[in-house]
Amino acid sequence: MKKLTVSPLPDLTGRLALVTGASGGLGLGLATRLAAAGAEVLLAVRDPAKGAAALGRLRREAPGAAASLRTLDLAALTSVATLAEELIADGRPIDILINNAGVMAPTTRHTTADGFELQFGTNHLGHVALTVRLLPLLRAGHARVTTVTSSAARQARFDWTDPQSERSYSPVRAYGRSKLANLLFALELDRRSRDAGWGIVSNAAHPGTTLTGLYTAGPNLGRRRPAPHEAIMTRLHRMGVLVQSVDRGALPPLYAAASPRAQGGRLYGPDGFGQFTGGPAELTLYRSARDEAEAARLWEYSLDRVGLLG
């Protein structure tokens, strides 16, 4: 682990940034900080009403910011394709892409509009489809692509006999698998960019244990009574134990996405105990993500599933 100095973001005036899952939590925190640094920010959101409220909050916190909404449901490949087509038609190069949106640990197995296990489909496959479709704009912008993963990726493993958890579903195991997929995708994208001369710098980051709606939305799916996750996390945050604020959790992804010193093929996260909280650090790559053959296999599998192979 290499601790990093927290410094103000560079002047991002003239840069275009796209942040997924920006209607609240970490995504909104990231979008607000980028906008305050001068970037024009596109908030990709699933719920227009929540998106409008988020945009209003961003403008209050970053007066004069250039920001707008884009509709994106990562659990529906048609929605991903529509947004990509709109941006390609606009023709403006993208300088920063933060693949942030996600769902965590539904109690029972759910599927996306395309039949994928919800966490794998939303967290990973939706972002794969978006990133690959936007490659022309990312290449034109010599973009920084930061994909948000989780420390849950450390213990995750792929079961290639049941990648969509159809035979056996565990909320935590499926979540960890989706976040390992995020990390492997980020690393493989950087390798392919370097090999092909795309000019894209791709890395991964995680926010530690940050208090967001992630602990409510996913765990409450399929339940009649509210899951206890949010109440537990809120209590720990108030005690200052193992849980941190969005402002703090945003630091590693912000460093990865915007710092001139951040590099491709790296993993950034908190420097504290267990990577739960702390300032930004360059982390030692998890053992689970060091197999380049596994990353290449996942790349091919993922592009095939989203209809973009070949």
Side-chain angles (χ1 to χ4, degrees):
M1 179 186 294
K2 177 183 177 183
K3 294 187 177 183
L4 305 168
T5 301
V6 178
S7 57
L9 292 181
D11 182 3
L12 299 177
T13 301
R15 306 285 186 89
L16 180 65
L18 173 64
V19 181
T20 70
S23 62
L26 184 67
L28 178 55
L30 294 169
T32 301
R33 290 287 301 275
L34 293 173
E40 179 180 343
V41 183
L42 306 180
L43 284 71
V45 303
R46 182 176 58 86
D47 186 321
K50 289 183 178 179
L55 187 59
R57 178 176 170 182
L58 182 151
R59 288 173 172 164
R60 288 192 298 273
E61 296 186 13
S68 59
L69 297 178
R70 294 293 187 275
T71 300
L72 174 65
D73 182 356
L74 287 159
L77 293 178
T78 55
S79 176
V80 175
T82 297
L83 175 59
E85 289 166 3
E86 291 173 356
L87 294 175
I88 293 290
D90 289 344
R92 184 171 173 189
I94 295 173
D95 301 282
I96 297 172
L97 169 61
I98 303 184
N99 290 322
N100 160 75
V103 62
M104 184 183 75
T107 302
T108 57
R109 186 179 185 273
H110 293 254
T111 57
T112 69
D114 305 284
F116 305 122
E117 188 275 315
L118 184 63
Q119 297 179 86
F120 192 76
T122 302
N123 301 354
H124 172 60
L125 291 176
H127 281 122
V128 169
L130 179 67
T131 304
V132 173
R133 286 185 178 276
L134 292 178
L135 278 178
L137 300 182
L138 297 170
R139 292 179 63 180
H142 299 286
R144 182 81 58 82
V145 177
T146 294
T147 300
V148 177
T149 182
S150 166
S151 59
R154 278 186 290 189
Q155 307 303 323
R157 296 291 184 274
F158 279 108
D159 178 0
W160 288 106
T161 67
D162 189 26
Q164 298 293 328
S165 303
E166 294 173 286
R167 293 203 304 268
S168 175
Y169 175 77
S170 159
V172 174
R173 187 169 60 244
Y175 178 69
R177 183 179 297 162
S178 75
K179 302 316 285 184
L180 174 57
N182 285 149
L183 177 52
L184 288 172
F185 172 69
L187 299 174
E188 185 66 12
L189 175 60
D190 193 70
R191 279 190 287 267
R192 291 183 181 241
S193 176
R194 284 186 278 108
D195 290 346
W198 292 345
I200 296 169
V201 174
S202 173
N203 56 30
H206 80 78
T209 307
T210 297
L211 186 61
T212 70
L214 195 67
Y215 294 98
T216 303
N220 281 337
L221 282 173
R223 292 178 63 100
R224 293 183 178 180
R225 300 177 60 184
H229 301 66
E230 183 182 29
I232 294 170
M233 292 300 168
T234 300
R235 191 174 303 117
L236 290 172
H237 181 246
R238 288 173 179 167
M239 296 168 59
V241 178
L242 304 181
V243 180
Q244 61 188 359
S245 67
V246 167
D247 286 344
R248 192 74 169 160
L251 293 178
L254 281 171
Y255 184 94
S259 171
R261 295 185 295 276
Q263 300 179 58
R266 306 298 171 88
L267 171 63
Y268 298 93
D271 63 7
F273 169 75
Q275 300 177 15
F276 293 109
T277 62
E282 181 183 319
L283 305 177
T284 300
L285 190 62
Y286 302 147
R287 187 182 304 274
S288 59
R290 296 177 190 173
D291 188 337
E292 294 185 9
E294 183 91 334
R297 181 180 183 183
L298 177 65
W299 177 281
E300 300 293 329
Y301 171 86
S302 300
L303 264 63
D304 179 60
R305 291 303 180 273
V306 302
L308 295 174
L309 188 63

